[in-house]
Amino acid sequence: MSPHQTMLAAVEAHRPGYTLARDFYCDPAFFRLDLENIHHRDWLFAGHDCEIKRAGQFFTLQIGDYPVVVVRGNDGAIRAFHNSCRHRGSRVCTAEHGRAKRLVCPYHQWSYDLDGTLARARHMEGEIDKSQFGLKPVHCRSVGGYVFVCVGRDAPDWDAFSATVAPYLAPHDLSDTVVVHSSTIVENGNWKLVWENNRECFHCAANHPELCRSYPEAPTATGVDAVFSDPAMVEHWARCEAVGLPSRFAIADSGQYRVTRAPLIEGVESYTMSGRKAVKRQLTPRVTEPLIGTLLLFHYPTTWNHVLGDVATTFRVLPIDATHTEVTTKWLVNKDAVAGVDYDMDELTKVWLATNDQDRRVVEENQRGILSPAYEPGPYSLEHESGVMQFVDWYLGATRRALQGEPKLRRVA
């Protein structure tokens, strides 16, 4: 059978409530199909618009086979392009972040205006029609301070996601923040193992002493099934909504994204070792309620987020190969907050830096065990791992639709 047929057979053979078969976590052919079925056709979180506030500011990222550059134009619009020169294909922007009046390829100095138009082709001005050789555009949208891109020719619907999450993000005004710290690590594990580990706190007590000082291990904090029957969660929603913060659990019909506001451990204000706020200047200055917990935002396959009253911690997951995944974490605070005055960088970042490293070790040991030919799928905990099962259900559904060629895309102009 072809890899396509083999993967579809494995999808159909999956036993509900159990982990995926070994090939899903380590087979290079399955990984290639993951890129084609999901990462090369879905909306993916790229970065924050506050990172490119001024014209000419840009950032780059690698999405599977595609290098991409996201840039702020002279007209204030945010655009994304394939980061590949139309001359001989070299990457145009090689830095992770930068600012330029024009995007200039370092190889032969073809230069592009910020809207992607080819401005100059050195020593070739009379030989080509410059209007035919602009940078190729990538679908790009923004909501609540988040920039998403889609490298596919056609992009899925954007409006439903944007309409769902915009009211939750609006009170935090993340477009008017600043990224004060960024950390990128490579986890030696399949991207789905990174996500499965994130979608439960069953492992937290044994692995995350810093996080457990503030984040509850309650299954409803990470799960799906019992969230509406948890009195603490329902009471938290009511209290937050009373001060103007949309909070109730909302999930896409496809299961691809969801958003809710969840309480931290009683009396805890932020993800710090002390439990107190990490930043004096708040993201939500008009909200006087100190215990608003965390706004949890998930969008498969690239981002989970914790947005609090004082800091937003955002996570981006990008696959490298079948057994390696890049995870980037960013800390966003009020643009007027001053390091050493309004916050201490160690206090701000300590919990998630420690947790990320612990998760890295957990995922890597998980991957090493799955690489064993003796591995076979095991059962999930119905109480503690409903969030993991929901992720797996979404993944299998998205994969099945792509392999079967079912229409799911709508042209985005």
Side-chain angles (χ1 to χ4, degrees), residues 23 55 117 157 182 210 277 291 294 301-302 342 385 408 410:
D23 284 348
T117 303
D157 175 67
S182 179
E210 294 85 2
K277 292 177 182 177
L291 301 177
T294 177
T302 47
D342 295 302
E385 295 174 307
K408 82 183 219 20
R410 179 178 67 82

Side-chain angles (χ1 to χ4, degrees), residues 255-329:
Q256 183 171 24
Y257 58 85
R258 69 181 182 273
V259 61
T260 191
R261 206 173 295 275
L264 301 180
I265 289 176
E266 186 175 358
V268 169
E269 296 179 272
S270 192
Y271 291 119
T272 60
M273 296 300 289
S274 67
R276 296 189 295 273
K277 292 177 182 177
V279 186
K280 293 178 183 178
R281 290 183 181 268
Q282 295 294 282
L283 293 179
T284 53
R286 293 181 295 276
V287 177
T288 57
E289 167 60 53
L291 301 177
I292 65 171
T294 177
L295 177 63
L296 301 175
L297 169 62
F298 304 91
H299 189 291
Y300 304 145
T302 47
T303 187
W304 67 80
N305 302 267
H306 291 266
V307 184
L308 293 84
D310 62 334
V311 58
T313 310
T314 69
F315 302 80
R316 187 185 69 193
V317 180
L318 292 175
I320 298 173
D321 58 31
T323 56
H324 294 84
T325 305
E326 178 189 275
V327 179
T328 297
T329 308

Side-chain angles (χ1 to χ4, degrees), residues 149-378:
V149 298
C150 174
V151 297
R153 185 192 65 180
D154 300 314
D157 175 67
W158 168 258
D159 294 342
F161 169 67
S162 179
T164 298
V165 305
Y168 290 80
L169 292 169
H172 300 278
D173 197 15
L174 297 185
S175 296
D176 202 28
T177 60
V178 61
V179 175
V180 294
H181 191 70
S182 179
S183 167
T184 295
I185 62 175
V186 174
E187 300 188 14
N188 298 329
N190 185 272
W191 69 275
K192 294 184 292 296
L193 291 180
V194 173
W195 266 107
E196 289 190 35
N197 177 65
N198 170 265
R199 295 314 314 118
E200 48 90 359
C201 211
F202 198 17
H203 71 284
C204 288
N207 294 278
H208 297 317
E210 294 85 2
L211 183 62
C212 286
R213 298 169 72 101
S214 53
Y215 189 71
E217 295 180 75
T220 49
T222 53
V224 176
D225 296 339
V227 63
F228 288 98
S229 61
D230 181 349
M233 188 73 77
V234 173
E235 187 277 332
H236 185 72
W237 294 339
R239 183 158 45 82
C240 290
E241 290 181 346
V243 295
L245 297 174
S247 300
R248 292 183 65 81
F249 182 90
I251 187 168
D253 292 340
S254 67
Q256 183 171 24
Y257 58 85
R258 69 181 182 273
V259 61
T260 191
R261 206 173 295 275
L264 301 180
I265 289 176
E266 186 175 358
V268 169
E269 296 179 272
S270 192
Y271 291 119
T272 60
M273 296 300 289
S274 67
R276 296 189 295 273
K277 292 177 182 177
V279 186
K280 293 178 183 178
R281 290 183 181 268
Q282 295 294 282
L283 293 179
T284 53
R286 293 181 295 276
V287 177
T288 57
E289 167 60 53
L291 301 177
I292 65 171
T294 177
L295 177 63
L296 301 175
L297 169 62
F298 304 91
H299 189 291
Y300 304 145
T302 47
T303 187
W304 67 80
N305 302 267
H306 291 266
V307 184
L308 293 84
D310 62 334
V311 58
T313 310
T314 69
F315 302 80
R316 187 185 69 193
V317 180
L318 292 175
I320 298 173
D321 58 31
T323 56
H324 294 84
T325 305
E326 178 189 275
V327 179
T328 297
T329 308
K330 295 179 180 179
W331 287 258
L332 288 71
V333 305
N334 187 302
K335 65 180 176 59
D336 296 321
V338 178
V341 177
D342 295 302
Y343 63 91
D344 174 79
M345 188 66 75
D346 180 67
E347 178 76 351
L348 179 71
T349 61
K350 184 172 184 176
V351 169
W352 282 116
L353 288 177
T355 302
N356 286 349
D357 190 55
Q358 293 150 2
D359 279 332
R360 176 190 59 79
R361 295 197 298 268
V362 166
V363 168
E364 291 177 357
E365 290 302 323
N366 197 181
Q367 182 71 70
R368 291 181 68 182
I370 288 174
L371 287 172
S372 168
Y375 162 81
E376 62 181 67

Side-chain angles (χ1 to χ4, degrees), residues 372-383:
S372 168
Y375 162 81
E376 62 181 67
Y380 291 119
S381 163
L382 295 177
E383 179 181 2

